[in-house]
Amino acid sequence: MPKAPFTDRVSHPIVLAEHARRAASLQLRIADTITSFAGSMPFVYVHAVGFALWMLFVESDPWPKLTLVVSLEAIFLSAFVMIGQNRQASFQQAKADHDFKEQELELKTNTELTRAIHILTVELHRRVIDEADQR
C-alpha cells in the first residue's frame, strides 16, 4: 500500500488522493496554512499580546477600531473553519464510498470462495460415498 507524503505510515488511498488534491491547489494550500495556524496556541498567544498592546498603546477610546478588527477577523476565521469542515466532510464521504466499494468486492469474493468450497465439499462427499459403496 502507498505511503503518505513525509510519513512512514501506510495511508488509505483516499488520504493520498486528498493530499494530492490539496497540494495541487494554491487556494487549498493557503486555506490549510491559515486554518492550521488559526487552530494553534501560537495564534492565541499572538492575538493576546497584539490585543493587549493595541488596548494599551493604540486606542484610548473604548476600542471601536479594535472591535471592528476583531469582528472582521472572526468573520474570516469562521469562513476558514467552514471551509475546513466542508473539506473534511467531503473527504469522509469519499473514504466511506471507497470503503463501501472495497467491502462489496470483498463480500463478492468471499461469496464466490464459499460457493467454490461448497461445490468441492459436495464433490468430495460424493466421491467418498461412491468409494464406500464400491467396497
Side-chain angles (χ1 to χ4, degrees), residues 88-135:
Q88 185 63 28
S90 173
F91 167 76
Q92 289 296 339
Q93 185 61 52
K95 185 175 180 309
D97 291 345
H98 176 272
D99 290 346
F100 177 76
K101 288 176 189 172
E102 291 296 314
Q103 288 171 358
E104 287 297 307
L105 179 61
E106 187 174 329
L107 177 63
K108 180 181 175 187
T109 303
N110 287 343
T111 302
E112 290 170 359
L113 287 172
T114 301
R115 286 184 180 140
I117 290 170
H118 176 71
I119 291 168
L120 289 171
T121 303
V122 168
E123 180 62 23
L124 280 173
H125 182 71
R126 187 190 60 76
R127 288 184 184 190
V128 167
I129 296 296
D130 285 349
E131 284 181 15
D133 288 345
Q134 290 177 358
R135 289 186 195 169

Side-chain angles (χ1 to χ4, degrees), residues 39-56:
S40 68
M41 285 308 293
F43 176 83
V44 173
Y45 301 142
V46 166
H47 279 76
V49 169
F51 292 153
L53 292 175
W54 184 291
M55 288 184 280
L56 292 173

Side-chain angles (χ1 to χ4, degrees), residues 21-35:
R21 188 178 72 80
R22 288 199 314 230
S25 170
L26 176 62
Q27 289 180 353
L28 290 178
R29 287 195 313 267
I30 291 170
D32 284 343
T33 302
I34 292 171
T35 304

Side-chain angles (χ1 to χ4, degrees), residues 51-106:
F51 292 153
L53 292 175
W54 184 291
M55 288 184 280
L56 292 173
F57 299 111
V58 176
E59 286 190 70
S60 57
D61 206 5
W63 311 304
K65 291 177 192 162
L66 179 60
T67 302
L68 175 66
V69 168
V70 170
S71 297
L72 289 173
E73 183 180 37
I75 291 168
F76 282 106
L77 286 176
S78 65
F80 284 112
V81 167
M82 290 186 337
I83 289 168
Q85 288 175 339
N86 289 341
R87 268 200 345 271
Q88 185 63 28
S90 173
F91 167 76
Q92 289 296 339
Q93 185 61 52
K95 185 175 180 309
D97 291 345
H98 176 272
D99 290 346
F100 177 76
K101 288 176 189 172
E102 291 296 314
Q103 288 171 358
E104 287 297 307
L105 179 61
E106 187 174 329

